[in-house]
Amino acid sequence: MQNLKEVKEGLDNIDFEKVGRRIQYIRKSRKITQADLSAICGCTSNHLSAIENGVNKPSIELIMKISVVLEESVDY
């Protein structure tokens, strides 16, 4: 079992730019607009754009909603 320090270090190493690029890639491949995805997930288009560009970090709740809509696993 990991200790809290190891968990925190793992979280600090998440590449949110890569996460955003993956969201954008899958969203576009599914032909879903930012406006549509953000409306379904309950966030603004500006917030989703900032996530896709690695500026904002998505909440775990939003990641889960996006994964359901885009039909991808959360760990993708």
Side-chain angles (χ1 to χ4, degrees):
M1 185 168 163
Q2 293 179 326
N3 65 36
L4 290 176
K5 183 179 177 185
E6 291 171 334
V7 171
K8 184 178 180 328
E9 288 171 359
L11 292 174
D12 290 341
N13 292 326
I14 295 173
D15 184 347
F16 285 100
E17 288 182 26
K18 188 175 186 179
V19 171
R21 285 192 306 268
R22 287 182 175 179
I23 291 170
Q24 183 181 57
Y25 174 79
I26 296 298
R27 176 184 60 76
K28 286 181 175 182
S29 72
R30 304 269 195 277
K31 297 184 178 13
I32 299 173
T33 66
Q34 278 185 345
D36 288 341
L37 181 58
S38 63
I40 293 167
C41 293
C43 68
T44 65
S45 294
N46 287 341
H47 183 57
L48 182 59
S49 176
I51 290 169
E52 289 184 351
N53 289 303
V55 175
N56 287 359
K57 295 178 183 179
S59 68
I60 193 69
E61 179 183 4
L62 185 54
I63 287 285
M64 292 174 70
K65 288 178 181 180
I66 290 170
S67 73
V68 169
V69 174
L70 297 181
E71 300 175 339
E72 286 292 337
S73 64
V74 174
D75 64 343
Y76 168 77

